[in-house]
Amino acid sequence: MIRRWRTAAWRGIGATAALALTALLPTSAACAASAAPASAESSGVSANGGSGYAFAPDARTVTGATGTTDAVPLEPGTTYRSTLPDKGGLYFRLELAADTTSYVPVTAVPPSTATVSASDGIEVSIEDANGTACDYDSARFGAGLSPRPVTAVGRRDAGRALCQDAGTYYVVVERLVSGSRTTTPGSWDLEIAPVTEPALVKAGATTAPEAWNSASPEPLTAEPRRRTAGAGFATARTLDQGVWQTDITPGQTLYYAVPVDWGQQLHATVDLGSTSGEAHGYVSAALNLSLYNPVRGYVDDVSLGYDGTQKSSSLEPLPPVAYANRYAVSGAESSVRFAGAYYLVVHLTGQTADTFGKGPYGVTLHVRVDGTPNSGPAYAGSPVPKGVFDVSSDRGSLGTAAGDGDTAMRALAVGGIGTGTALLLVLGVWTLTARRAQIRANAQKPTA
């Protein structure tokens, strides 16, 4: 195991019965029951394929400034697209209240054909009007040497000694370049998604919980289910507890979202299946599994070396989600500071194709969510975007994704109508139709 450098029509009933079933289903379930098998694009995989990143469809395009004077404003709750040149940084402007904590995640997407070094990446910081850095974060490509999306988050914590005043702040995005001659020059696309967190109604503990279950849980042994992935944070497909399988090709990055409530612990294991045919060679850091929190902040990751035989690795145990975790010394523990969608991001390095072929390769995710949810902290206002710290957001229904092995019957079950009642109604219509057909047939027979 290698740690990365820090940086997811019934047959046999008549047409009349099928129409009756469609009429009984809620709109969303009816569509799922009658739809033809979906293409890869409609089932959550980016139309770009390969290492193509699926940007938020409603993202606004902005041009970053080369200095603070012309910096364009960013509104929390709005997603933006921009372009980062290979030299120099970009500036954006934020207006923040004194009691507001701000997170500005920036995802940099190099071209899929780019050549990168391990230390290449991006750095994101937030500065006040006097040029004081409130915080900074960086993300690098690491040992996989693969041009993939990397995400860093600039942060301004309300209540800290630095940057505590209301006013204008600046988001600074810079490219980290090792100076290696192998690095491909050229611009990278950016996705920026600012989030604000309100203050608490009443101040709570200012130290992280010291006692929590840090033991690795028993591995899940459930029957694997197929679940296609999204190709970006905005299109991440939801996973609940269970064992999930999908395919991945060299250079591709997969995005899944796991709802984790206050008081719950997330555990994740990734398996990379064996290749077909004879295996010769070795790829260092071939597969990377990264975990990000609801504001896209890095939590932890693991990488797998690959020799063509099946490999497996797990994220380190994390504490239950709690507001006070932000006061932990460990970065991983500090990052599980709020409930919401936690993102599992899987990348298979492009070098795998050179050694073991273009694939696809089988990936299995074992996802476990332990603990009893609690109400969490009482905020004095609403975060922006609203619902970012909720676990109810639907990022692709677990039961109706075409191509995931689910049936119209399961769509019916999650559609809000009782399965038994619907079956009785459908069978009743089917029986009535059959009887009428038999009566018509008898009426047409000649009498003796």
Side-chain angles (χ1 to χ4, degrees):
M1 178 180 75
I2 302 174
R3 286 273 168 186
R4 179 171 70 86
W5 185 359
R6 168 64 184 115
T7 25
W10 286 348
R11 296 180 180 177
I13 66 174
T16 304
L19 289 172
L21 173 59
T22 303
L24 290 170
L25 286 169
T27 302
S28 59
C31 292
S34 60
S39 64
E41 289 81 2
S42 64
S43 61
V45 177
S46 168
N48 295 326
S51 62
Y53 182 81
F55 288 87
D58 58 348
R60 297 182 186 176
T61 300
V62 293
T63 301
T66 56
T68 58
T69 303
D70 299 322
V72 296
L74 300 178
E75 293 291 334
T78 300
T79 304
Y80 299 88
R81 288 190 64 168
S82 192
T83 303
L84 179 65
D86 54 8
K87 295 181 180 179
L90 297 181
Y91 289 80
F92 303 91
R93 192 172 79 245
L94 280 176
E95 301 295 333
L96 299 176
D99 60 351
T100 298
T101 295
S102 177
Y103 306 90
V104 184
V106 180
T107 299
V109 186
S112 60
T113 56
T115 300
V116 297
S117 72
S119 57
D120 288 345
I122 60 167
E123 182 175 278
V124 181
S125 61
I126 295 182
E127 299 177 355
D128 67 11
N130 290 314
T132 301
C134 310
D135 186 73
Y136 65 90
D137 186 30
S138 62
R140 304 175 189 266
F141 298 110
L145 302 177
S146 190
R148 60 190 174 94
V150 291
T151 302
V153 180
R155 192 175 78 224
R156 180 266 197 167
D157 283 299
R160 295 288 178 92
L162 294 176
C163 304
Q164 59 182 329
D165 297 328
T168 300
Y169 289 82
Y170 298 96
V171 180
V172 186
V173 184
E174 299 175 278
R175 184 163 162 177
L176 299 176
V177 181
S178 64
S180 170
R181 295 180 180 179
T182 62
T183 299
T184 303
S187 60
W188 295 347
D189 289 331
L190 299 178
E191 182 173 76
I192 309 170
V195 175
T196 55
E197 181 185 21
L200 299 181
V201 171
K202 183 180 180 180
T206 57
T207 57
E210 295 182 359
W212 52 275
N213 183 11
S214 59
S216 298
E218 290 293 326
L220 291 174
T221 57
E223 186 68 22
R225 289 178 283 174
R226 298 288 298 180
R227 183 65 169 165
T228 53
F233 285 106
T235 61
R237 303 292 300 284
T238 302
L239 299 180
D240 61 7
Q241 179 166 294
V243 181
W244 304 91
Q245 287 185 338
T246 191
D247 293 326
I248 191 170
T249 56
Q252 188 175 15
T253 305
L254 311 179
Y255 287 77
Y256 291 103
V258 182
V260 185
D261 213 338
W262 299 101
Q264 293 187 314
Q265 283 180 284
L266 172 63
H267 305 275
T269 296
V270 63
D271 301 339
L272 179 59
S274 58
T275 186
S276 59
E278 295 185 8
H280 300 285
Y282 182 79
V283 178
S284 174
L287 186 81
N288 180 269
L289 171 65
S290 299
L291 176 65
Y292 295 87
N293 67 21
V295 298
R296 308 183 183 183
Y298 168 82
V299 180
D300 194 16
D301 75 334
V302 289
S303 290
L304 294 174
Y306 190 61
D307 59 5
T309 62
Q310 63 273 18
K311 301 297 177 184
S312 179
S313 190
S314 302
L315 296 173
E316 293 292 335
L318 297 166
V321 172
Y323 184 90
N325 284 339
R326 64 191 62 209
Y327 302 111
V329 175
S330 163
E333 294 178 18
S334 175
S335 297
V336 287
R337 58 177 61 191
F338 20 56
Y342 280 74
Y343 300 93
L344 292 173
V345 181
V346 184
H347 177 79
L348 182 64
T349 179
Q351 295 184 42
T352 309
D354 298 331
T355 306
F356 300 107
K358 297 181 179 180
Y361 296 78
V363 169
T364 303
L365 287 170
H366 304 255
V367 178
R368 188 183 189 108
V369 181
D370 293 329
T372 302
N374 60 53
S375 58
Y379 284 111
S382 295
V384 181
K386 188 175 181 180
V388 67
F389 303 141
D390 294 340
V391 297
S392 58
S393 298
D394 182 13
R395 297 173 180 271
S397 170
L398 285 169
T400 60
D404 287 353
D406 296 293
T407 64
M409 189 62 185
R410 188 170 179 184
L412 176 65
V414 300
I417 182 172
T419 304
T421 301
L423 277 172
L424 288 174
L425 290 171
V426 171
L427 290 173
V429 173
W430 180 84
T431 302
L432 178 60
T433 303
R435 286 180 177 176
R436 287 179 175 173
Q438 185 62 45
I439 291 172
R440 287 194 298 271
N442 291 338
Q444 294 173 358
K445 290 181 181 179
T447 56

